[in-house]
Amino acid sequence: QEKMEKENTFLKGISFLYGLNNSEGVDEKKANELFEKSWKEYRYPPAGVFLARLHLYGQEITRNEKKANELCLEALENGLELISNKGDSMAQVSLGMIYVWGFGVTKNPSKAMELFQLSAKENNSVAQGWIAFLYQNGNGVPKDLEQAIKWYKMSAEQNNCISQSNLGWIYLNSPEHQNFVLAFEWNKKSSSFNYSGAQFNLGWMYDCGIGVERNVNEAIHWYTEAAKRNYASAQFNLGVTYDLGDGVEVDHENAIK
C-alpha cells in the first residue's frame, strides 16, 4: 500500500512538471509539493532528484544549485542505484540525470545515456526527452539533430510539453531543420499545457511574424502568460513592448512592472 502511495504521489508530481495526462497543465509549485511529500514522507529517491531538477531549472521555484546537489547526494544514500538496478524506470531516469549533472558522482553523460535508453524501453517520455537533449547538445554522444528530433517526437506525442517545446525550438532555430509551421504547431500545443518556455516562443513568433501573421495582441497575451510563471525573457519583452508602444499604446507603468 505504501509503495503504491509513494509512487502515485511522485507520478502526480511528474504529471504537473511535464503536463502529462493532466487537464491543468504544468504547475511547478504543485509538482514541488508532491515531490516534497514523496521524498519527505516516503523517502522515494527519484522524488529527491526531481526536487533537485526544479532547483536547477525551475521558473517558479527558487534556483539553488547547492540544494540540488544535497538532494542528489541524499537520493544516492537512500538507495537510488539499487532501485534503478531493479528496473524502476523513473529511478533509471533519475540516476541518469545525476550522471549528467555530476552531483555525488563523476559526470558521465555516456552512462546517463545508457540509463535513459533502459528507461525509454518502458516508453518513458521523460527518458525519451533526455535522450533527445543529449543528442541535441552532443553530450555523451555525437551531436545529431535527426536523432534529437526523433526522440523528442516520441516524447512529444505522449503529450510531454517540455519535449514539445524543445522540438519546436529546433524547428525554429536549426538552419538544417528549420520549419516555422511545425515550430508554431509544437509551441502552440505545449503552450496549451501552460509551459512557460513554449508560451515565450509563441509570443516571440507572433511578435516577429515568424510562422504566423504578426499579431501584437497575441504576442502580449503569450508573453503575459509566460511572465506570470516568472519567465524572465517574457517579462523583459513585455516591458519593451509597453515601453516602446510597439503595436500598443505606450504604457510606462506596465513597462516598469
Side-chain angles (χ1 to χ4, degrees):
Q1 179 65 37
E2 184 177 301
K3 182 176 186 291
M4 188 178 292
E5 178 62 28
K6 74 181 177 185
E7 289 180 3
N8 284 344
T9 303
F10 171 76
L11 290 173
K12 279 180 193 168
I14 291 290
S15 81
F16 279 111
L17 182 57
Y18 293 93
L20 292 162
N21 306 316
N22 171 13
S23 59
E24 295 174 60
V26 173
D27 187 327
E28 286 187 357
K29 288 177 181 172
K30 280 189 180 174
N32 189 66
E33 283 171 21
L34 288 157
F35 293 148
E36 286 268 12
K37 179 174 179 169
S38 182
W39 178 233
K40 288 181 175 172
E41 291 185 21
Y42 304 114
R43 303 310 280 177
Y44 183 51
V49 179
F50 276 87
L51 279 173
R53 185 210 172 283
L54 281 168
H55 282 298
L56 284 175
Y57 306 129
Q59 300 296 332
E60 298 179 83
I61 304 300
T62 305
R63 296 191 182 188
N64 185 336
E65 188 172 320
K66 183 171 179 283
K67 178 70 174 168
N69 192 5
E70 287 168 3
L71 284 160
C72 289
L73 284 169
E74 288 175 32
L76 288 165
E77 286 163 7
N78 276 265
L80 177 62
E81 194 159 5
L82 181 65
I83 62 171
S84 170
N85 290 340
K86 286 181 177 176
D88 181 309
S89 175
M90 291 311 303
Q92 290 163 343
V93 173
S94 302
L95 190 56
M97 287 156 65
I98 287 179
Y99 275 113
V100 170
W101 302 329
F103 291 158
V105 296
T106 304
K107 266 190 190 182
N108 189 338
S110 299
K111 175 70 174 168
M113 179 62 96
E114 286 174 24
L115 287 157
F116 295 145
Q117 291 278 7
L118 276 176
S119 181
K121 285 179 182 173
E122 303 296 317
N123 209 27
N124 185 313
S125 78
V126 180
Q128 291 164 344
W130 272 102
I131 291 168
F133 179 80
L134 293 182
Y135 275 121
Q136 182 182 357
N137 294 284
N139 193 359
V141 287
K143 186 172 180 175
D144 188 335
L145 288 182
E146 294 284 351
Q147 284 293 319
I149 287 169
K150 171 189 151 183
W151 285 97
Y152 275 140
K153 267 188 186 168
M154 279 189 227
S155 179
E157 283 164 1
Q158 294 191 67
N159 289 330
N160 182 316
C161 66
I162 295 180
S163 291
Q164 289 170 344
S165 177
N166 288 345
L167 183 56
W169 192 94
I170 291 177
Y171 285 132
L172 188 58
N173 293 287
S174 165
E176 305 92 351
H177 300 90
Q178 209 162 58
N179 185 322
F180 294 145
V181 172
L182 287 176
F184 182 82
E185 281 177 13
W186 282 113
N187 277 300
K188 178 84 171 169
K189 192 161 190 173
S190 180
S191 293
S192 70
F193 291 103
N194 297 326
Y195 181 55
S196 58
Q199 290 171 332
F200 169 75
N201 291 341
L202 204 58
W204 186 81
M205 292 182 84
Y206 274 117
D207 199 0
C208 302
I210 291 174
V212 66
E213 190 175 335
R214 187 166 195 252
N215 185 326
V216 175
N217 288 332
E218 281 290 327
I220 288 171
H221 168 73
W222 290 110
Y223 283 154
T224 303
E225 288 300 307
K228 280 182 200 169
R229 295 171 180 87
N230 291 337
Y231 200 87
S233 299
Q235 292 166 339
F236 177 80
N237 283 15
L238 205 50
V240 169
T241 301
Y242 281 120
D243 196 38
L244 298 178
D246 182 14
V248 291
E249 285 186 34
V250 172
D251 186 339
H252 294 305
E253 193 177 318
N254 250 329
I256 291 163
K257 190 163 68 177

